[in-house]
Amino acid sequence: MFQGVRAVLFDLDGTLIDSAPDLGAAADEMRLRRGMVSKPAAEYRPHVGSGARGMLQVAFGMDAQHQDYEQYKEEFFVHYESCLTQRTRPFEGVDQLVVALLQRGLRWGVVTNKAQRFTSPITRSMVLFDSAATVISGDTTPHAKPHPEPLLEAARRLSLRPADCVYVGDDERDIRAGRAAGMGTVAARYGYLGAGADVASWGADAEVSSPLQLLQLLEPS
């Protein structure tokens, strides 16, 4: 499907790595410290794509309009920062995918809305990211996805045209950002889609149900 591609860019959480266990654990620790019972990890997982907002909604039924939201959010960040590499792992097949991309002479990188405060420790902790050509965090540019600027910055750092890149993500914001940047887009159905997500309506050029399936889209015709 994608001809002349020179680089593949990925969202981080839900696309390359399964960070749900650590994110859920950070929120659950807040419950435990308040004498509340623990919630199953499975309750947190579907809301990981919404970040701190999603975790606090599950843990405390709290939305961003709650008067204590900002205080709870920063407390969540502190807890998450202390455990963010304990249980987080690449999804099955991601390591093999990266090896295959490099063997084909393709470069790869990360464009995430996750703040550098969290992105850097995670990427430093995994050998997987040693070969990444660029890592763009949520605060690398003045804008976050779905704005295209983080993806355009990644292309600039790779000295490539956006049209030379494909972007893979598990959230509608990823696809919107990729399309706005002029890149090919792939929806990762194996990620944190959220309850009731209508992936077909996102307008991605393609969808994959596993990381390695991406390779089929990059084969020459």
Side-chain angles (χ1 to χ4, degrees), residues 15-17 90-99 128 190 211-212:
T15 303
L16 290 176
I17 62 171
F91 282 107
E92 183 178 355
V94 166
D95 289 294
Q96 299 97 306
L97 170 61
V98 166
V99 169
L128 167 71
Y190 57 86
L212 287 171

Side-chain angles (χ1 to χ4, degrees), residues 135-215:
V135 176
I136 304 296
S137 299
D139 46 3
T140 300
T141 74
H143 303 282
K145 298 173 296 181
H147 197 285
E149 182 56 27
L151 287 168
L152 296 174
E153 176 64 17
R156 285 192 291 266
R157 293 189 181 193
L158 295 174
S159 298
L160 294 175
R161 299 178 305 149
D164 294 329
C165 306
V166 168
Y167 187 52
V168 186
D170 68 313
D171 190 280
E172 184 176 7
R173 291 169 296 180
D174 299 324
I175 305 307
R176 288 170 57 192
R179 287 165 57 91
M183 297 183 180
T185 55
V186 179
R189 279 190 167 272
Y190 57 86
Y192 309 136
L193 303 180
D198 183 9
V199 179
S201 71
W202 295 357
D205 296 307
E207 301 173 6
V208 292
S209 56
S210 69
L212 287 171
Q213 192 178 350
L214 177 66
L215 295 173

Side-chain angles (χ1 to χ4, degrees), residues 31-109:
R31 284 179 58 87
L32 295 176
R33 286 174 179 251
R34 288 166 170 78
M36 303 169 73
V37 297
S38 178
K39 285 199 168 191
E43 290 192 29
Y44 291 102
R45 176 173 285 275
H47 303 275
V48 166
S50 299
R53 186 177 72 255
M55 296 298 93
L56 293 176
Q57 178 65 45
V58 175
F60 302 104
M62 176 183 293
D63 61 24
Q65 281 67 52
H66 192 283
Q67 62 180 4
D68 296 326
Y69 178 77
E70 290 301 321
Q71 174 189 335
Y72 273 58
K73 181 175 73 170
E74 188 52 43
E75 181 183 343
F76 169 76
F77 285 157
V78 171
H79 282 298
Y80 180 52
E81 205 164 17
S82 71
C83 73
L84 49 69
T85 61
Q86 291 183 9
R87 308 164 192 83
T88 296
R89 301 288 184 272
F91 282 107
E92 183 178 355
V94 166
D95 289 294
Q96 299 97 306
L97 170 61
V98 166
V99 169
L101 293 177
L102 295 173
Q103 288 175 341
R104 296 183 184 198
L106 297 174
R107 301 165 77 192
W108 75 281

